[in-house]
Amino acid sequence: MTDDLTQRRYLQVQQRLQEMLGSGEYQPGDKVPSERELAQTLSVSRMTVRRAVDNLVKQGLLERDSTTGTRVSTPRVRRLLNHAHLHSITQMVAATGGKAGGKLLEFLWTAAPANVAHKLQLPPGSPVVVIRRLRLVDGVPFCLETSYLSAARVPGLAAEDLLEGGSLYQILEDRYGIAAALGESVIGVSFATAPEAEALHLPPNHAILLYRSVVQDTSGQPFEYLKSVNHPQLVVFNIGEGRAVLAQEF
């Protein structure tokens, strides 16, 4: 019973700290209150606070310095919108010195939903490949991505091609001659569903950065519709070439 109570308190403290970090009160690089101060504010033991802080350090949200204390981490992933050369997350993570990884959560061939068919300029009900992946930077989850591809353009594409965290865009270019060019992208603020929050180690209903994009090839033909749910403390978006706008829905 005591262990259960300790676990609940630790998780409650961790959630309170995550809410504090997500409130905008603390910016990247800001020093957070000491463990003693947090323990007094939250009316818990320093050991409980330390355990919660340790876990947030492992998740990449906080970083410790032996001389200056604990600070809010800078974003681990810098995503460039509509960049002329960098398109895949694998490339973007590598460009900023991180190690990209991923877990394939879903791979299926199905009929395109009406909105997806419209985005990809396909007849209603056309076959599409749906790929859902959890993306990692240095082993830390930072976004959930769902890609819809026209099945006619990627014959033979299989789940095995992506099991080792390989770059989808590299496969598309090497095997199918599909080179990504500029597209239309939209960013909005939304709230994580229960599965999304669990996957990204966020409190329930926490704010997330929702990124949607129709990606075109070099001939201007759309080949992918992408929905990306991003951890707001681990990801920052930079506007590159092309057009990006803010919206709630796309």
Side-chain angles (χ1 to χ4, degrees), residues 3 27 30 41-42 57 146 160 169 214:
D3 289 342
Q27 299 300 311
D30 285 352
T41 300
L42 300 176
V57 169
T146 304
E160 289 73 19
Y169 281 18
V214 176

Coordinates of all heavy atoms in Angstrom, one line a residue, residues 3 27 30 41-42 57 146 160 169 214:
D3 N 4.0 1.5 -1.1 CA 4.6 1.6 -2.4 C 3.7 2.2 -3.4 O 4.1 3.0 -4.3 CB 5.1 0.2 -2.9 CG 6.3 -0.3 -2.1 OD1 6.9 0.5 -1.4 OD2 6.5 -1.5 -2.1
Q27 N 11.3 29.2 -20.0 CA 11.8 29.1 -21.3 C 13.0 28.2 -21.4 O 13.7 28.0 -20.3 CB 12.1 30.5 -21.9 CG 10.9 31.4 -22.0 CD 9.8 30.9 -22.8 OE1 10.0 30.4 -24.0 NE2 8.6 30.9 -22.3
D30 N 16.2 28.4 -18.9 CA 15.8 28.9 -17.6 C 16.1 27.9 -16.5 O 15.9 26.7 -16.6 CB 14.3 29.3 -17.5 CG 14.0 30.6 -18.3 OD1 15.0 31.2 -18.7 OD2 12.8 30.9 -18.4
T41 N 7.0 23.7 -2.0 CA 5.8 24.2 -2.7 C 4.8 23.1 -2.9 O 3.6 23.3 -2.8 CB 6.3 24.7 -4.1 OG1 7.2 25.8 -3.9 CG2 5.1 25.2 -4.9
L42 N 5.2 21.9 -3.2 CA 4.3 20.8 -3.5 C 4.0 19.9 -2.3 O 3.2 19.0 -2.4 CB 4.9 19.9 -4.6 CG 5.3 20.6 -6.0 CD1 6.0 19.7 -6.9 CD2 4.0 21.1 -6.6
V57 N 14.7 14.5 -16.6 CA 16.0 14.6 -17.2 C 16.2 13.5 -18.3 O 16.7 13.7 -19.4 CB 17.1 14.5 -16.2 CG1 18.5 14.3 -16.8 CG2 17.1 15.8 -15.3
T146 N 1.9 9.9 -38.9 CA 1.1 9.1 -39.8 C 1.2 9.6 -41.2 O 0.9 10.7 -41.5 CB -0.4 9.1 -39.4 OG1 -0.5 8.7 -38.0 CG2 -1.2 8.1 -40.2
E160 N 8.6 -4.3 -43.5 CA 10.0 -4.7 -43.2 C 11.0 -3.6 -43.6 O 12.1 -3.5 -43.1 CB 10.4 -6.0 -43.9 CG 9.7 -7.3 -43.3 CD 8.2 -7.4 -43.7 OE1 7.8 -6.7 -44.6 OE2 7.5 -8.1 -43.0
Y169 N 11.8 8.6 -46.9 CA 12.1 9.4 -48.1 C 13.3 8.9 -48.9 O 13.3 9.0 -50.1 CB 12.3 10.9 -47.6 CG 11.1 11.6 -47.3 CD1 9.9 11.0 -47.1 CD2 11.1 13.0 -47.3 CE1 8.7 11.7 -46.8 CE2 10.0 13.7 -47.0 CZ 8.8 13.1 -46.8 OH 7.6 13.8 -46.5
V214 N 1.0 18.3 -47.1 CA 0.9 17.6 -48.3 C 2.2 17.8 -49.0 O 2.6 18.9 -49.4 CB -0.2 18.2 -49.2 CG1 -0.3 17.5 -50.6 CG2 -1.6 18.1 -48.5

